[in-house]
Amino acid sequence: MILRSVLYASLVVLFALHNDLWLWHDASNWLGLPAGFAYHVLYCLAVSGLMFLLVRYAWPSLLDEN
Amino acid sequence: MTLFVIAIYFALVLLVSVLSHRLFRGTGEDYFVASRTIGPFLLLMSLFGTHMTAFSLLGASAESYHIGIGVFGLMASSSAIVAPAVFFFIGIKFWSAGKRNGFLTQVQFFRSRWESDLVGLLLFVILVAFLIPYLLIGVMGGGVTLHQISGGSIPEWLGSLFVCAIILFYVSYGGLRGTVWANTFQTLVFITLGALTFVIILRSLGGLTQALEQVRESHAFLLVRGEHIQPLTHLSYAFIGLSAGMFPHISMHWLTARSALTFRAPIVLYPLCIAVVWIPSVLLGVVGRISFPDLHGPEANSILVRMIEVHAPEVLAGLLAAGVLAAVMSSLDSQVLAVGTMFTQDIVRHYGFHDRMTERQQILYGRIFIAAIIGVAFLLSLVSNRSIFKLGIWSFTGFAALFPIAAAACYWKRSTAAGVIASIATVAVLWLGFFLHGWQTPGYTVANTGLMPVAIILPASAVALVIGSWLSRPPSTAALTRFFPDS
C-alpha cells in the first residue's frame, strides 16, 4: 500500500516535472541535442520506467483476470 | 515510382485484412470487439496507430519548422505521460466492466453506470459531434496526401474517395479484428518509415550535430522555447492528452483486450513509441530551415516532403507517402468503425430493437452504418474547406473536457446521472463559447494569457459534475454493485 502511494505520488511529481521552466531559455546541448529537447526525450524514458513500476507494483488487484 | 509504392501499400493493407477475416466467428461480439481476444502487441499497435494521426508526421514537422524544438514537449512528451496514465487508471477499469457486463460501446458503459437513457443519448450526441470534424480531417488528409505525392495528377476528391473505398472494404468486411490487424501493419509502416527517412536525410546533411549547428547559426531561436512558446500554453496543452479517456475509438480498442494483463505492455511501451515517432518529425522540421529558410504559414506543411525531394532518393518519397497514409488511415478506420458501432448498438439496437437483435442483424446494421458514415464523411469533405483542419485541436479539447465523466464513472460512487448531465451541458456551452470566439484565431489562447481553453472547460466540467451529483439522489446499490464488485 505504501509502495502504491509512493508510485502514485511519483506520477504526480513526474507530471509536474514536465514543466521544465528552468530550461526555457537554455541554449546549451545535452547529448548532442538542444537541452530543452533532450530533457523531454529523457522524460519519455523516465515515464516508461515509472509505468513499468506501476504495472509491476501497483497493479489493480481486484480485476477479473479470466 | 511513388504511386507504385502506394499501390503496393494499399494491396498489403487489403491482404492483411482478408487474412484476419479467416478468424471471424460470425457474431456481433466478434465483429465489434474481436471477441475480446486481442493480445498485448496488437493492442499496443492498434491503440498507438489509432491515437497518432498524420499530424504526428506532417503537422509536427511543420509546427517545429515555425516554433522549434518546444513542439516535442508541447505535444509528444505530454501525451507520453497522460495517455498511458489514462490507460492505467481508466482503460483497465473500463475493460473490466465491459467484459463483466458485455458492453460493446462506451455509451453502453456510461448509460448502465448511471442507469440513465438520457445520459447515454446526450453522450452519444456530443461524442459523435466532436468526432465528426476529426473524421473529416482524416478523409481530407488522405486526399491531400495523395494529391501532393502524385504531383497534382490525382485530384484531392479522388484521393479522398480512394482512401474511403479502401477503408470501407476492410472495416466493413473484417470488423474490429480486421481493423486491428490493418492498424498494426500501418503503425509498423509509419514507425519504420519515419525512422528511415530521418536517418537518410540527416546523413545527407552531414549528420545531426552538423545540421543543428547550422540551425544554431541562422535560426538559433528554434533550439529553445524562449518567448515563442508560453509556459502556460505548455502546461495547459498537457490536459489535451486526457482526451484519450473519452475517445470512442480508443475505448473501442480497450474492449478488445484479452485480459487486464494485456494492458501492461501498451502502458509501459507507449511513451517509447511516442518518442520514436516524434523525435524524427520534430528534428526534421527544425533542420528543414537549412534547406528551406523562408516558408510561410501553411507552406511549411510540406516541409517533410520537400526535404525528401532534395535529400533522399525517389523511392523514399513513395515510402514516406505510404507512411503518411498509414498514419491517416489507421486513425480514420477506427473512428469510422467506432461511430458505426455506436449507431448500431446505442441507437438502432437499444431504441429500435429494445436490445434484442440477432447476431446477423447486428453485423448487417454495423456494415450499413459504416458504409453510410464513410459516404457522409466523403460528401462532407467535398463541401468543406481547408479551414476544417483548424478544428482538430478543438475536437481534442471537447473530448478532454468530458474526461471528468470517465473518471467519475470509474472512481466516484456518489456521482449521479444529474451530475453527468450538468457536466455535459457545461462542456457544450463553454466549448461553443470559446469556439465561436477563437476558432478563426491561429494559436488562440484565453485572453492571450497562453492558457488553452481546455484548462477552463475541464475544471468547470468537473465542478458541474460534483455539484449536480451532490444535489441529486445517490445512485442505486444495484448499479454500484455492477460496477464496483469489491464494494
Side-chain angles (χ1 to χ4, degrees):
Chain A
M1 191 62 193
I2 292 174
L3 183 56
R4 185 185 296 261
S5 304
V6 169
L7 289 172
Y8 287 173
S10 304
L11 192 60
V12 175
V13 170
L14 200 54
F15 182 77
L17 288 173
H18 183 255
N19 299 284
D20 56 327
L21 298 177
W22 58 94
L23 291 174
W24 218 255
H25 299 275
D26 191 334
S28 64
N29 270 7
W30 291 5
L31 309 168
L33 294 167
F37 185 82
Y39 176 86
H40 283 278
V41 172
L42 294 174
Y43 184 87
C44 289
L45 299 179
V47 171
S48 183
L50 181 60
M51 290 298 158
F52 173 78
L53 295 175
L54 272 172
V55 301
R56 181 83 177 78
Y57 298 108
W59 191 249
S61 55
L62 293 169
L63 285 176
D64 174 15
E65 297 293 349
N66 298 313
Chain B
M1 185 64 186
T2 301
L3 292 179
F4 178 68
V5 174
I6 298 290
I8 291 177
Y9 163 73
F10 279 144
L12 286 173
V13 169
L14 293 177
L15 178 66
V16 166
S17 158
V18 168
L19 288 175
S20 78
H21 194 69
R22 295 165 70 177
L23 299 175
F24 185 49
R25 298 177 185 176
T27 65
E29 189 178 41
D30 197 73
Y31 190 78
F32 294 115
V33 291
S35 297
R36 306 179 208 273
T37 56
I38 298 300
F41 178 69
L42 290 181
L43 185 65
L44 168 66
M45 289 292 113
S46 54
L47 279 172
F48 188 65
T50 300
H51 199 189
M52 295 294 125
T53 63
F55 187 84
S56 315
L57 294 178
L58 295 183
S61 51
E63 201 69 10
S64 308
Y65 177 91
H66 289 303
I67 63 174
I69 52 106
V71 170
F72 191 86
L74 209 58
M75 300 174 189
S77 62
S78 57
S79 291
I81 185 166
V82 176
V86 167
F87 297 170
F88 183 83
F89 290 106
I90 305 293
I92 302 171
K93 293 225 170 215
F94 180 78
W95 168 84
S96 177
K99 186 171 186 186
R100 255 195 331 273
N101 298 288
F103 298 142
L104 299 177
T105 71
Q106 191 184 23
V107 169
Q108 286 176 349
F109 169 80
F110 291 121
R111 188 171 58 213
S112 177
R113 168 67 180 83
W114 286 293
E115 298 180 302
S116 166
D117 263 14
L118 183 58
V119 163
L121 195 59
L122 288 175
L123 275 172
F124 173 86
V125 170
I126 199 164
L127 290 171
V128 171
F130 284 145
L131 198 56
I132 283 174
Y134 195 5
L135 219 152
L136 264 180
I137 290 168
V139 173
M140 293 174 74
V144 169
T145 306
L146 279 176
H147 177 73
Q148 282 182 348
I149 55 124
S150 66
S153 62
I154 298 178
E156 286 184 16
W157 70 267
L158 187 60
S160 292
L161 181 65
F162 205 61
V163 167
C164 286
I166 300 276
I167 287 178
L168 173 62
F169 174 79
Y170 74 77
V171 173
S172 63
Y173 180 62
L176 190 46
R177 182 178 285 104
T179 305
V180 165
W181 280 44
N183 273 188
T184 300
F185 171 69
Q186 290 161 336
T187 307
L188 289 171
V189 165
F190 76 73
I191 287 179
T192 310
L193 297 183
L196 185 68
T197 306
F198 182 58
V199 170
I200 291 176
I201 292 179
L202 281 185
R203 194 175 281 179
S204 165
L205 288 169
L208 178 61
T209 309
Q210 191 175 325
L212 287 176
E213 207 46 53
Q214 288 184 59
V215 173
R216 192 180 300 280
E217 287 165 12
S218 55
H219 300 86
F221 74 96
L222 291 175
L223 304 182
V224 292
R225 267 72 58 87
E227 307 303 327
H228 46 285
I229 297 179
Q230 298 186 55
L232 270 180
T233 307
H234 183 87
L235 170 67
S236 48
Y237 237 99
F239 296 114
I240 295 282
L242 292 172
S243 53
M246 283 302 286
F247 280 148
H249 44 295
I250 293 284
S251 57
M252 178 182 74
H253 282 291
W254 286 342
L255 289 172
T256 65
R258 187 188 302 149
S259 75
L261 295 177
T262 308
F263 280 82
R264 286 188 167 185
I267 288 169
V268 174
L269 297 176
Y270 212 82
L272 303 182
C273 289
I274 286 182
V276 166
V277 169
W278 282 74
I279 289 172
S281 298
V282 171
L283 287 180
L284 286 179
V286 170
V287 300
R289 283 274 186 166
I290 300 169
S291 309
F292 301 94
D294 297 315
L295 300 181
H296 298 285
E299 286 176 351
N301 287 339
S302 58
I303 184 62
L304 211 51
V305 176
R306 289 170 191 249
M307 291 288 279
I308 287 169
E309 283 172 355
V310 172
H311 296 286
E314 191 190 345
V315 68
L316 192 60
L319 291 174
L320 177 80
V324 173
L325 281 170
V328 171
M329 292 168 67
S330 63
S331 301
L332 187 57
D333 56 7
S334 297
Q335 291 160 356
V336 167
L337 182 56
V339 180
T341 306
M342 287 162 73
F343 267 105
T344 305
Q345 298 292 338
D346 301 326
I347 301 298
V348 176
R349 186 183 178 197
H350 187 63
Y351 293 105
F353 288 80
H354 303 289
D355 292 324
R356 288 189 293 272
M357 269 175 108
T358 65
E359 304 288 348
R360 185 173 286 188
Q361 281 174 324
Q362 288 183 49
I363 296 169
L364 176 65
Y365 274 93
R367 286 182 167 146
I368 290 171
F369 277 112
I370 288 163
I373 288 154
I374 291 194
V376 169
F378 172 69
L379 291 175
L380 283 176
S381 75
L382 298 179
V383 294
S384 302
N385 60 36
R386 291 280 192 95
S387 61
I388 191 84
F389 284 94
K390 290 181 190 168
L391 292 185
I393 194 71
W394 290 97
S395 172
F396 278 55
T397 297
F399 283 112
L402 292 170
F403 180 78
I405 295 173
C410 295
Y411 292 97
W412 193 32
K413 295 175 187 173
R414 180 62 180 78
S415 59
T416 66
V420 174
I421 292 165
S423 175
I424 295 170
T426 305
V427 170
V429 170
L430 287 178
W431 184 90
L432 202 60
F434 279 115
F435 177 73
L436 292 175
H437 192 249
W439 88 284
Q440 294 283 19
T441 311
Y444 171 79
T445 60
V446 182
N448 289 322
T449 56
L451 206 62
M452 305 284 289
V454 67
I456 305 289
I457 312 176
L458 177 70
S461 158
V463 168
L465 198 153
V466 171
I467 293 174
S469 295
W470 279 113
L471 292 179
S472 51
R473 289 171 56 189
S476 73
T477 313
L480 290 179
T481 309
R482 262 203 314 279
F483 284 85
F484 301 96
D486 52 319
S487 63

